[in-house]
Amino acid sequence: MPYIQSTHVGLLAGACLLASAAMAQAGDPERGQTAAATCVACHQADGSGMNIPGGESWPRLAGLDADYLAKQLHDFQSGERQNATMLTFANMLNDQQIADVAAYYSQLPATPGQGGDVEDSLLARGQQLAERGDWNAYIVSCQSCHGPGGYGVGSDFPGIAGQHAGYISAQLHAWKNDTRHNDPQHLMGAVAKRMSDDDIAAVSAWYAAQPPQRDQEASQ
């Protein structure tokens, strides 16, 4: 009986993997460039986005994981992630176009973040939170999920190194205030609620000041 059960579990797991693979659509970057024409006004032609101190900042999309980008667009469509502007634009795209747009932005070179030009003491606090966390406040390090350097881990944890400070800050506040909740297992909400506004400003600035892509020579 144990052998039969384990066999069934193995077959079920294999079926789930095959189903997931079938659901994931291959994107075409060339088609994606055409479909992304409406994204340029906010995210720029090179996918660099915009950092607007004191206002709404638009994220850098260039170099982010394609599956992560596709998930966010689907979440905007479904209402799982809410933004009135993005809802409008996401609803202009069908599933194939979402895959194409995500593939297009993922293969663009990542551009430097903005908003990291703050005092050294704030950057030091941001580095502490990013690399070591603060166990006195029950805050785990950002790199526990986003990886060393903040370059991202798979499709669930995006690269945040070189992302604009204004955008990182806005998202942390959204998780803290329960206005964003499409993260895996509500991990971001749990962490953000333990962070002060100063902590959010610090870690946002620190990541904005980091290189947006890992040095390829150093990683080989």
Side-chain angles (χ1 to χ4, degrees):
M1 182 65 75
Y3 174 77
I4 294 175
Q5 289 178 338
S6 63
T7 301
H8 286 172
V9 171
L11 290 172
L12 180 59
C16 289
L17 288 173
L18 288 173
S20 297
M23 288 171 60
Q25 290 182 262
D28 181 281
E30 291 188 10
R31 291 198 307 258
Q33 183 174 13
T34 301
T38 57
C39 310
V40 170
C42 296
H43 296 286
Q44 310 304 304
D46 60 356
S48 60
M50 278 194 264
N51 187 68
I52 303 177
E56 182 178 3
S57 295
W58 292 280
R60 166 182 58 81
L61 304 181
L64 293 182
D65 180 83
D67 289 338
Y68 174 79
L69 290 172
K71 179 185 185 301
Q72 301 312 302
L73 286 167
H74 284 296
D75 285 354
F76 284 125
Q77 284 186 336
S78 68
E80 181 69 16
R81 182 174 176 185
Q82 298 193 359
N83 179 288
T85 302
M86 283 304 305
L87 173 63
T88 299
F89 286 107
N91 280 335
M92 294 179 181
L93 305 173
N94 60 35
D95 289 349
Q96 184 60 62
Q97 288 173 319
I98 284 178
D100 293 341
V101 167
Y104 169 65
Y105 279 117
S106 72
Q107 53 85 52
L108 291 179
T111 54
Q114 299 174 0
D117 47 347
V118 298
E119 59 267 25
D120 290 344
S121 59
L122 197 64
L123 288 177
R125 174 61 173 168
Q127 182 175 13
Q128 176 196 346
L129 293 169
E131 297 181 343
R132 303 184 302 280
D134 184 346
W135 291 107
N136 291 326
Y138 298 98
I139 299 173
V140 299
S141 69
C142 304
Q143 73 173 12
S144 297
C145 293
H146 293 277
Y151 297 116
V153 178
S155 59
D156 289 322
F157 304 104
I160 50 178
Q163 185 58 271
H164 300 309
Y167 179 74
I168 296 175
S169 175
Q171 299 314 301
L172 286 170
H173 280 292
W175 276 304
K176 183 176 182 176
N177 297 326
D178 291 322
T179 55
R180 181 176 176 183
H181 46 79
N182 70 327
D183 50 317
Q185 304 300 317
H186 303 292
L187 292 171
M188 285 304 308
V191 173
K193 290 180 189 304
R194 300 187 179 108
M195 298 176 71
S196 68
D197 289 350
D198 287 343
D199 285 342
I200 289 175
V203 79
S204 300
W206 190 80
Y207 271 118
Q210 302 313 299
Q213 286 184 315
R214 184 181 290 105
D215 187 330
Q216 294 301 312
E217 292 184 1
S219 64
Q220 291 176 352

